[in-house]
Amino acid sequence: MRSTLMDIAREAGVSTATVDRVLNNREGVRERTRQAVLETARKLGYVTPPDEEGGNANAPVRLDFVLPAGTNTFIANLLDQLVTQAGAQDGMDVHVHSIEGFNPDSLARQLDALTGTTQGVGVLALDHPTVREAMRKLAASGVPIVTLVSDILHVPRLGYVGIDNRAAGRLAGYLLGRLLGKGAKRKIALFAGSLSYRGHEEREMGFRHVIAEEFQDLEVVELREIRDDRQRAFEETAALLKRHPDLSGIYNIGAGNAGIGQALQEAGFAQSVIFVGHELTERTKRFLLDGTMDAVIDQNPRVEAREALAMLKNTVLGRRFDYHPPRLQVIFRENIPEF
């Protein structure tokens, strides 16, 4: 049975937080303590001594990624990048598990099932008690975990790979407010995949804060959860436009842009309602070009896949790594990049 961080901490006489800092080459640990932790980790077989790495050089690193299923194009692109980039590297055995995205029990069961079979896990997780407990159990078994796109706090994860979602929400609010301009009281609406995702909750919080601070003439009349589903997004938007024919703006926190854009077009609101959303895809690119969408806040799935793979693989192999977080990028019709 593989040693855990707690085993190393107990043997070395330090905290698990200190062990985590040492194994990930973070600052804040005295050199004497660092050497003691590394020696203990090698003795317990958690990491391989440098002079013995050659014997295991050809053994592939087994990594598992748990992502939500559905019509979310960004997640599909992220999945594709994980598989493509892993396939281009030697010594990586990557498995992707697609589960029902908004069912915490299904997610927890999948995480439980990985115990004893995986060496590292990346997960886009709901912030839910059953999910947090499953992550704690998996981490206690010695498996490093990386959260993707949306973070979860107070669990022993290796790190978070993604953008600052609160900043992204503030950016969306600023864009929408500036694009609408000053004037009389106007109505805006929000769509979210699920506020059970901490990332979506943080985006909403950031958005509302900047609206309250700088654009008090804008009124959020509705917030709807559309489960990142294209058809549900279409139906909710069509109903919203009937209830509020004087709607001025929409901010979509998560996926479902295709359904929102279709509803705006069919109702004849595509050129009059300011529409800000996330993630550059083929569909949102077309919406920018025809004016249905006004701005897209993008996070690059290629970068997120690269960083998640590097973080997990290097940790399993006991190697040092530097994290380069993805950057927020605002895309308008005039600066659409090549895919």
Side-chain angles (χ1 to χ4, degrees):
M1 190 172 179
R2 191 165 183 247
S3 299
T4 68
L5 294 183
M6 288 190 293
D7 294 330
I8 299 169
R10 184 170 53 250
E11 185 76 13
V14 298
S15 68
T16 54
T18 297
V19 174
D20 180 73
R21 283 197 294 271
V22 170
L23 295 181
N24 290 295
N25 293 296
R26 298 192 182 104
E27 297 179 354
V29 182
R30 290 182 299 177
E31 185 59 29
R32 187 174 175 180
T33 303
R34 183 181 299 276
Q35 291 303 320
V37 169
L38 288 174
E39 184 178 343
T40 302
R42 291 179 186 126
K43 183 175 70 174
L44 295 178
Y46 192 88
V47 296
T48 304
D51 58 354
E52 294 179 11
E53 285 185 355
N56 295 321
N58 296 322
V61 174
R62 163 73 184 253
L63 301 179
D64 290 78
F65 290 86
V66 184
L67 302 175
T71 59
N72 188 327
T73 306
F74 172 77
I75 298 302
N77 290 340
L78 178 60
L79 187 157
D80 181 66
Q81 284 293 327
L82 287 167
V83 173
T84 300
Q85 292 187 39
Q89 301 181 42
D90 293 328
M92 296 192 73
D93 179 22
V94 169
H95 299 252
V96 179
H97 310 268
S98 296
I99 56 104
E100 185 181 346
F102 300 94
N103 187 328
D105 293 332
S106 295
L107 176 55
R109 283 194 296 271
Q110 180 61 66
L111 292 173
D112 287 339
L114 293 175
T115 302
T117 64
T118 187
Q119 292 174 276
V121 169
V123 59
L124 200 171
L126 297 168
D127 195 353
H128 187 276
T130 60
V131 176
R132 292 195 295 270
E133 184 60 23
M135 291 176 69
R136 291 186 185 109
K137 289 180 180 178
L138 193 59
S141 73
V143 176
I145 302 172
V146 167
T147 53
L148 298 166
V149 184
S150 180
D151 200 9
I152 295 184
L153 304 181
H154 311 301
V155 293
R157 86 257 194 282
L158 176 64
Y160 164 61
V161 176
I163 59 172
D164 181 336
N165 284 299
R166 186 181 175 90
R170 288 187 63 87
L171 178 57
Y174 182 79
L175 285 168
L176 195 62
R178 293 291 291 178
L179 288 169
L180 285 170
K182 300 292 183 180
K185 199 78 172 178
R186 279 153 302 158
K187 297 178 179 179
I188 57 177
L190 304 180
F191 289 103
S194 171
L195 297 180
S196 294
Y197 282 127
R198 179 176 287 273
H200 287 196
E201 183 181 39
E202 290 172 345
R203 289 180 188 178
E204 182 206 358
M205 189 182 304
F207 180 88
R208 287 186 183 271
H209 278 186
V210 81
I211 293 297
E213 290 167 2
E214 300 190 35
F215 306 102
Q216 292 90 351
D217 53 333
L218 300 182
E219 177 190 5
V220 178
V221 293
E222 292 197 32
L223 167 62
R224 296 282 170 167
E225 291 183 296
I226 53 178
R227 303 284 175 169
D228 285 346
D229 181 77
R230 189 175 303 156
Q231 183 60 31
R232 184 164 177 168
F234 171 79
E235 293 169 357
E236 288 285 359
T237 305
L240 171 73
L241 295 173
K242 290 180 181 179
R243 292 191 297 271
H244 302 283
D246 54 344
L247 191 74
S248 295
I250 290 175
Y251 169 42
N252 183 28
I253 292 171
N257 290 315
I260 296 171
Q262 180 186 351
L264 287 170
Q265 291 174 344
E266 292 188 7
F269 285 85
Q271 304 303 313
S272 60
V273 172
I274 299 296
F275 178 19
V276 175
H278 287 264
E279 317 314 347
L280 185 66
T281 65
E282 285 292 347
R283 183 61 65 92
T284 57
K285 177 180 175 181
R286 290 198 294 272
F287 282 159
L288 285 171
L289 289 170
D290 66 25
T292 301
M293 291 190 78
D294 298 275
V296 168
I297 301 170
D298 189 53
Q299 56 181 325
N300 193 322
R302 178 183 59 80
V303 173
E304 296 197 5
R306 181 195 69 201
E307 294 302 311
L309 289 168
M311 188 179 292
L312 287 168
K313 180 180 179 180
N314 285 316
T315 297
V316 171
L317 296 177
R319 298 172 181 167
R320 182 173 181 171
F321 65 90
D322 294 315
Y323 173 55
H324 302 280
R327 297 179 180 178
L328 285 173
Q329 181 181 10
V330 181
I331 299 172
F332 302 97
R333 184 176 67 178
E334 302 301 327
N335 69 327
I336 298 174
E338 294 184 10
F339 283 111

